[in-house]
Amino acid sequence: MKPPAFEYEAPSTVEDAARLLADGGDDAKLLAGGQSLIPLLNLRFAAPSLLIDLNGVLELAHINEAAGELRIGALVRHSAVAGHALVAERHPLLAEALGYVAHPQIRNRGTIGGTTAHSDPAAEVPVVLLMSDARVIAHSTRGQREIAVDDLFVSIFTTSLEPDEIITEVIIPDRHVEPGTITGSSFQEFARRHGDYAIGGGAAIVELDAEGICRNARVGLLGAGMRPEESKAAAAVLENSTLAEDTVREAARVATAEINPLGNVHGDVQYRREVIREMTFRAVMTAANKAKAGTA
Amino acid sequence: MKRDIEVEVNGNRYRRTVEPRMLLTDFIRHELRLTGTHVGCEHGVCGACTIHFDGEPVRACVMLAVQADGHSLRTVESLAEEGQLNRLQRAFNECHGLQCGFCTPGFLMTLQPVVDAGEQLSDDEIRDAISGNLCRCTGYQQIVDAVNSALAPSQPDGHASTS
Ligand SMILES: Cc1cc2nc3c(=O)[nH]c(=O)nc-3n(C[C@H](O)[C@H](O)[C@H](O)COP(=O)(O)OP(=O)(O)OC[C@H]3O[C@@H](n4cnc5c(N)ncnc54)[C@H](O)[C@@H]3O)c2cc1C
Ligand code: FES
Ligand code: FES
């Protein structure tokens, strides 16, 4: 249960970190909060030759408001994202989802860049980023590029980042809201104990107009397969409806009809599919009720 | 390559030379001989190793000693006040918040900031606060009782509230 030997560097700028990563080759790894990577080292599931610790790269620890978007530095801790006033105001679903991420001690270390790069289909934040049309900035000695998270998340623990790229920022655009509508959102998951990785979950953002008609919907699924998932088909069922219970049940059924959750000792495939369906139903109903309460 | 680090722990400065692979738990226990910080799972699940890193509760088993260079830590050894158990520790004692005591340092370090904040919490909120700490003995109820007791306003003849 001890990490294998590795070299360690603690750069203080993104430039230095990028150079170390480029020179370090395939066996070099970035260390952010360490809340996923260090357990993997302790269990000897990973054996990097070099760890490049980003914790001293203070330029990655900001949350900035830019034109129509929020830019969150990769090193911002889960607890800081969840507690930030702009996040609460513009992306309440992200703050709500972070409440389900692990435990307080882990949220004090884990970072938004880390959970995004880790690409775990059971992680809450990637699902919300997908539903929010977020992008990341990937930086290397070769320059930098923007990647939509939909293109970033390839499979379980696999992203489209090149080995020499560092995520420096996560960018979440402000939601485009039609005038006269009210938005509600909700994240629902089932875990044996609060903070543990969930058996499954669902998330929803719905936009209701003054007549109570759903103008826009986003439906996200937690733990539904090899990557964070969004169901456009479920959103299509919800849009232009009044979000009556039957419609929402149908949307949850459509969302989960073809998913293949990874079964394990905590729940087999069929059980997880049912949990995700029920959580998705509850998420849409709760989001709708929040929006309606706002309309009233 | 070994590295020289300087760390402040419980108000004392320590200089040591460590391998990058040394976990912060092993540094605290074996290099500094502060064995109050316990090690249960060594992969971030049980919370027994909770310490304060620059004032915030973290799990020391998923941090490296080299990462503590230039930082300030507190361990369970820092809680007692002038050789006497502090209010939270007394509450654990009086409410039977521990049996074997293996998990206790982690619970105390997780809960000390909660008690310091001084806000009254519901039982559900207390359970949420301790969700990252495992205890195989108490069944948790006595720990919840201890937190309630530590948070209760002082009474002249109260339990954990007397000084
Ligand atoms: C007991 C326990 C329970 C947990 N429960 C949950 C949970 O319920 N939900 C959940 O979502 N998470 C959970 N986590 C994981 C936690 O949220 C992690 O913090 C997160 O997944 C990874 O973030 P990190 O900053 O710790 O990354 P690290 O562990 O430091 O890194 C993870 C990976 O990302 C890479 N990386 C990190 N930063 C960057 C970057 N800027 N650019 C490119 N690559 C990078 C690293 O090289 C590594 O491969 C849990 C962890 C533990 C120990
Ligand atoms: S020993 Fe650190 S969490 Fe279990
Ligand atoms: S008192 Fe024994 S594990 Fe908690």
Side-chain angles (χ1 to χ4, degrees):
Chain A
M1 297 299 293
K2 311 289 180 195
F6 49 79
E7 293 298 322
Y8 171 86
E9 295 285 351
S12 52
T13 65
V14 172
E15 276 326 308
D16 288 349
R19 196 176 31 74
L20 286 162
L21 190 58
D23 295 348
D26 283 358
D27 286 345
K29 261 210 160 298
L30 298 169
L31 174 64
Q35 304 299 295
S36 295
L37 183 53
I38 300 204
L40 292 174
L41 297 179
N42 291 1
L43 296 163
R44 304 268 173 135
F45 289 151
S49 54
L50 169 67
L51 277 193
I52 302 161
D53 188 347
L54 295 176
N55 286 281
V57 184
L58 299 183
E59 61 189 295
L60 295 180
H62 61 270
I63 298 188
N64 288 341
E65 194 181 358
E69 59 194 26
L70 211 55
R71 304 179 76 104
I72 307 179
L75 197 64
V76 182
R77 315 279 171 192
H78 298 325
S79 52
V81 175
H84 200 280
L86 285 175
V87 174
E89 183 191 314
R90 297 190 197 169
H91 303 288
L93 186 63
L94 180 58
E96 187 184 348
L98 279 162
Y100 290 106
V101 176
H103 312 289
Q105 303 97 324
I106 291 169
R107 293 197 293 267
N108 283 339
R109 291 297 295 171
T111 66
I112 193 159
T115 187
T116 306
H118 198 50
S119 187
D120 183 345
E124 289 82 359
V125 170
V127 176
V128 177
L129 295 181
L130 198 59
M131 294 166 71
S132 311
D133 300 315
R135 319 182 303 277
V136 300
I137 304 269
H139 188 103
S140 72
T141 51
R142 297 171 290 114
Q144 66 178 37
R145 61 178 178 135
E146 273 191 25
I147 311 173
V149 290
D150 196 17
D151 299 323
L152 181 74
F153 302 128
V154 173
S155 184
I156 183 164
F157 307 139
T158 309
T159 65
S160 59
L161 286 179
E162 297 296 334
D164 65 344
E165 284 180 319
I166 303 174
I167 294 179
T168 53
E169 271 188 324
V170 174
I171 304 172
I172 314 179
D174 293 348
R175 275 184 45 75
H176 168 77
V177 187
E178 280 183 42
T181 63
I182 297 205
T183 305
S185 61
S186 173
F187 203 104
Q188 302 282 327
E189 69 172 47
F190 177 69
R192 293 293 305 276
R193 182 181 60 149
H194 186 110
D196 287 350
Y197 280 107
I199 305 240
I205 306 175
V206 298
E207 208 179 308
L208 295 187
D209 68 14
E211 272 81 59
I213 311 279
C214 176
R215 289 281 157 222
N216 204 334
R218 306 289 297 251
V219 176
L221 309 173
L222 179 73
M226 297 301 276
R227 44 161 273 164
E229 293 290 351
E230 193 184 351
S231 175
K232 302 275 185 204
V237 172
L238 298 172
E239 280 165 0
N240 300 316
S241 83
T242 55
L243 303 183
E245 194 173 321
D246 286 352
T247 317
V248 178
R249 284 230 178 266
E250 174 60 11
R253 190 194 64 75
V254 167
T256 50
E258 282 169 16
I259 59 169
N260 282 304
L262 298 167
N264 69 9
V265 61
H266 299 294
D268 62 19
V269 175
Q270 183 54 30
Y271 174 64
R272 281 175 189 259
R273 190 179 293 133
E274 278 168 32
V275 166
I276 296 169
R277 185 198 309 141
E278 177 62 22
M279 293 301 129
T280 304
F281 169 73
R282 291 185 195 178
V284 179
M285 292 303 284
T286 310
N289 288 335
K290 283 190 200 169
K292 281 173 192 159
T295 322
Chain B
M1 205 180 44
K2 288 197 176 187
R3 292 174 75 99
D4 296 327
I5 63 172
E6 186 176 323
V7 187
E8 190 201 304
V9 183
N10 303 334
N12 302 315
R13 287 198 169 278
Y14 298 90
R15 282 198 189 147
R16 294 287 189 278
T17 305
V18 298
E19 294 274 1
R21 68 188 283 250
M22 178 176 274
L23 295 175
L24 187 51
T25 34
D26 290 336
F27 177 75
I28 291 168
R29 290 175 54 85
H30 302 157
E31 293 289 318
L32 307 186
R33 310 302 296 173
L34 293 169
T35 53
T37 301
H38 288 175
V39 174
C41 67
E42 230 167 36
H43 64 284
V45 176
C46 74
C49 63
T50 305
I51 61 160
H52 296 180
F53 187 88
D54 293 337
E56 290 187 326
V58 301
R59 283 146 148 56
C61 75
V62 285
M63 289 193 66
L64 305 169
V66 283
Q67 293 188 287
D69 187 24
H71 292 271
S72 142
L73 317 185
R74 282 185 67 191
T75 65
V76 70
E77 285 87 349
S78 72
L79 293 186
E81 291 157 2
E82 292 165 13
Q84 303 290 313
L85 299 182
N86 79 3
R87 185 183 173 108
L88 177 62
Q89 291 171 307
R90 283 200 311 278
F92 263 68
N93 181 350
E94 286 159 9
C95 299
H96 301 281
L98 66 152
Q99 287 176 31
C100 78
F102 193 84
C103 67
T104 314
F107 273 94
L108 293 172
M109 295 312 281
T110 298
L111 287 166
Q112 190 62 52
V114 173
V115 171
D116 288 343
E119 253 174 67
Q120 294 299 313
L121 299 179
S122 68
D123 283 6
D124 278 352
E125 287 168 323
I126 295 171
R127 285 179 182 275
D128 205 26
I130 60 173
S131 68
N133 294 75
L134 292 177
C135 173
R136 296 289 80 164
C137 299
T138 62
Y140 302 100
Q141 184 54 45
Q142 293 98 307
I143 296 177
V144 174
D145 293 345
V147 180
N148 271 320
S149 164
L151 283 172
S154 300
Q155 285 162 18
D157 58 350
H159 278 285
S161 30
T162 45
S163 56

